[in-house]
Amino acid sequence: MADFDFDDSPEAGLKGSLGKDFFWGYATAAPQIEGAWSTAGKGPSTWDTLAHTPGRVVDGSTADDACRSYDFFRDDVALMKRYGVTAYRFSLSWSRIIPLGGKDDAVNEAGVGFYSDLIDELLKAGITPFVTLFHWDVPQALEERYKSMLDPGRYIPDFVRYARVCFERFGDRVGHWITYNEPGVYALAGYAGGAHAPNRSSDRAKYSEGDTSTEPWIVGHTQLLSHAQVYRMYKEEFAPTQHGTIGITLSGNWSAPYDASSPADIAAAQRALEFEIAWFADPVFGPGDYPASMRAQLGARLPTFSPAEKKLVNGSSDFYGMNTYTAFFVRDAVPPGQPIPPEDHKGNLAWSDTNSEGVSRGAESDTEWLRTSPWGFAALLRWIWARYHTPIFVTENGTTARGEHVSAPPGDDVLNDVHRIDFYRAYVGELARAVKEDGVDIRSYFGWTLLDNWEWAKGYTDRFGVTWVDFESEEKTRYPKRSATFMREYFGHLIAR
Ligand code: GBH
């Protein structure tokens, strides 16, 4: 018997509003779940280095074991089958496949074998793999050789060769490829704020190297160029026989004006979307260059595209991969006419949790920046569709919930994760409405995430999973939360039969 009744709910009218071929499931990233950080020939990544540097992870943890999905991937696939998913998005660890990372470095057959087995296991379970090539873990050797993405001339051929190995080895069974996960977050968190690998920033109190005023923009540019080269290579050399699709996933949250009647605040909200999203989306899906608002603030610190590069990058994604979590109210930080500091990398913004009328952006989660803001998701889907008119694959969306930091076994009060259920109910409902009412072309939804995991520099302090994980236990025992059941039944209601 079903746990949830949708026929007598506000979502009753959304029954069957998603097409039969709509993909739904969960997303993960290799460094956050795999563990086995130095097993079977894997080379260290920049995130392994970060985790092994004292003071870099808030709870002092490492991802050495994480969820041990490297060992228990068959259990994870069985779990997903129980959860009723039709697709699974995961990332490959570059340094598991090519331990030193470079174009002339050896391929690690054990690493290839691991992903090959995972893909086979998914296909056996009837789950479609969506594979991300890069979810933030650069091979440490490339960081040491030439500072990875800061040297595009050396980095790009290495990334292209890595992608080639993946298409050659997995492309017969994988038809959905994502080159980069959130290039903007990678560039800003690792090279502006500095909390993420490779820990570069102008903030000398915390980091010994880096330049917040220039490096994030170089790193963004390198990602765009290498993404586009990989896209063209796939289209020319692999797509004719492998028939897959390939694209890029961008991060982006909705920004609304603090005071909806203030022209300055309205302009600030638009600028926020351009700095966060159009930074990558305009070159790839739009006019083929960086937004004017970014050029105006950053000047020559923002790289330029040669005509050949413009042509390479523009149109280099079959779909718009969308990661989104929340919404913010924004206005100018520095008033007009005053100089904006060169370290500013978000578009001169000040953020608030409530707008000028005291309306909150949404219910609080267990994570400072993240609130339940389905109204923002609804607006963002339409903004992206109107601006880029490209089919959207939602590749990440989800939340933490308070009260999940308990010892095993978690009680029913913890596993009945009402906050997460409410979040998913509202967001996925907005997705279905955008499809049904406005004809927005949306083809997938991946919840973030399958398992509580290693949340980067926040270690194990953020639990985003639909599965509670006992990190104290040897086996990293998994306990399904009620949201997993909710999602199975919800998509059963929304997807046409
Ligand atoms: C995603 O990024 C990642 O793809 C995924 O790996 C991660 O686990 C998931 O989100 C959950 O965090 O602390 O105020 O400076 C989402 C985009 C951008 C959200 C950086 C958090 C830091 C905000 N992230 N942001 S703040």
Side-chain angles (χ1 to χ4, degrees):
M1 217 194 81
D3 253 27
F4 298 90
D5 175 17
F6 295 107
D7 290 330
D8 192 23
S9 78
E11 292 82 18
L14 296 173
K15 190 181 181 111
S17 53
L18 304 178
K20 270 210 279 290
D21 49 1
F22 189 90
F23 292 103
W24 88 273
Y26 298 101
T28 63
Q32 297 184 268
I33 63 162
E34 284 181 1
W37 77 286
S38 65
T39 302
K42 179 179 168 295
S45 76
T46 49
W47 273 98
D48 294 319
T49 304
L50 179 151
H52 293 133
T53 307
R56 293 292 192 233
V57 179
V58 296
D59 60 1
S61 66
T62 69
D64 293 3
D65 300 321
C67 303
R68 293 190 63 194
S69 289
Y70 179 85
D71 299 311
F72 301 131
F73 72 92
R74 289 182 207 281
D75 301 279
D76 288 345
V77 174
L79 191 62
M80 283 190 277
K81 199 171 173 181
R82 261 175 72 191
Y83 289 174
V85 310
T86 62
Y88 175 48
R89 172 178 178 242
F90 61 98
S91 83
L92 307 177
S93 155
W94 182 348
S95 61
R96 197 182 286 293
I97 294 173
I98 306 171
L100 295 175
K103 66 178 176 26
D104 301 316
D105 294 319
V107 171
N108 175 31
E109 290 303 331
V112 171
F114 166 66
Y115 292 115
S116 188
D117 290 348
L118 168 59
I119 290 162
D120 288 343
E121 192 75 8
L122 288 165
L123 295 175
K124 253 197 305 183
I127 299 171
T128 301
F130 278 61
V131 178
T132 307
L133 294 174
F134 181 86
H135 200 127
W136 303 353
D137 47 342
V138 169
Q140 178 64 22
L142 302 186
E143 194 56 32
E144 285 166 19
R145 269 181 205 163
Y146 54 81
K147 296 199 168 75
S148 66
M149 293 185 198
L150 290 175
D151 187 346
R154 296 185 70 183
Y155 172 86
I156 294 173
D158 285 350
F159 183 71
V160 170
R161 189 287 193 122
Y162 160 57
R164 173 184 293 284
V165 170
C166 297
F167 299 149
E168 283 172 355
R169 301 306 187 91
F170 313 127
D172 56 336
R173 290 157 290 156
V174 172
H176 295 87
W177 293 99
I178 292 161
T179 54
Y180 283 95
N181 178 72
E182 302 187 346
V185 173
Y186 181 75
L188 296 186
Y191 294 83
H196 282 197
N199 289 137
R200 299 181 66 87
S201 168
S202 292
D203 181 356
R204 284 290 163 273
K206 288 192 187 147
Y207 307 104
S208 57
E209 285 181 42
D211 182 349
T212 298
S213 72
T214 54
E215 291 184 0
W217 316 116
I218 297 167
V219 165
H221 204 71
T222 301
Q223 289 177 91
L224 276 171
L225 295 179
S226 53
H227 150 78
Q229 282 207 23
V230 165
Y231 177 86
R232 304 294 172 200
M233 174 177 76
Y234 183 78
K235 287 288 165 179
E236 279 155 33
E237 298 182 39
F238 296 93
T241 52
Q242 298 183 348
H243 311 293
T245 59
I246 178 164
I248 192 164
T249 276
L250 305 180
S251 163
N253 296 306
W254 181 247
S255 285
Y258 172 73
D259 176 349
S261 69
S262 150
D265 292 7
I266 293 168
Q270 183 67 16
R271 204 169 61 242
L273 292 163
E274 291 179 354
F275 267 73
E276 194 180 1
I277 297 174
W279 174 15
F280 296 93
D282 275 14
V284 174
F285 305 102
D289 204 349
Y290 293 124
S293 57
M294 293 185 75
R295 182 66 64 198
Q297 182 181 320
L298 303 170
R301 288 185 282 118
L302 185 67
T304 50
F305 295 101
S306 72
E309 287 172 348
K310 231 177 228 182
K311 219 176 128 222
L312 175 79
V313 171
N314 200 227
S316 66
S317 187
D318 293 336
F319 54 85
Y320 184 103
M322 178 184 187
N323 287 3
T324 190
Y325 288 83
T326 195
F328 299 96
F329 295 113
V330 299
R331 56 190 140 157
D332 290 344
V334 171
Q338 286 187 37
I340 300 166
E343 287 76 28
D344 180 275
H345 47 274
K346 300 265 177 88
N348 185 31
L349 303 173
W351 294 267
S352 43
D353 289 331
T354 47
N355 69 8
S356 61
E357 291 176 346
V359 177
S360 160
R361 64 191 177 99
E364 293 174 32
S365 66
D366 197 34
T367 302
E368 187 62 40
W369 56 268
L370 207 179
R371 297 214 181 185
T372 303
S373 318
W375 58 276
F377 183 50
L380 186 57
L381 283 168
R382 287 162 179 83
W383 187 85
I384 289 171
W385 178 241
R387 189 166 171 124
Y388 302 116
H389 225 80
T390 302
I392 297 171
F393 281 74
V394 176
T395 43
E396 275 181 35
N397 179 236
T399 188
T400 54
R402 288 181 176 162
E404 295 190 353
H405 299 282
V406 296
S407 303
D412 287 345
D413 53 327
V414 173
L415 295 179
N416 184 15
D417 51 343
V418 178
H419 178 80
R420 185 173 290 100
I421 291 170
D422 289 348
F423 180 100
Y424 279 134
R425 180 189 280 270
Y427 276 69
V428 177
E430 289 303 344
L431 180 150
R433 267 176 220 112
V435 170
K436 189 183 155 93
E437 291 163 14
D438 287 318
V440 182
D441 186 351
I442 309 173
R443 313 254 177 113
S444 79
Y445 181 90
F446 291 91
W448 185 269
T449 178
L450 177 65
L451 307 168
D452 291 343
N453 64 24
W454 192 70
E455 176 60 24
W456 308 108
K458 293 178 90 180
Y460 297 104
T461 64
D462 264 355
R463 290 179 175 266
F464 272 91
V466 293
T467 312
W468 195 90
V469 174
D470 178 12
F471 293 107
E472 301 299 315
S473 69
E474 193 61 32
E475 296 76 27
K476 312 297 171 192
T477 312
R478 283 101 161 108
Y479 298 82
K481 300 179 192 174
R482 194 154 174 259
S483 52
T485 305
F486 171 80
M487 290 285 265
R488 184 183 66 226
E489 297 184 6
Y490 200 22
F491 278 100
H493 169 75
L494 296 174
I495 297 178
R497 279 164 220 277

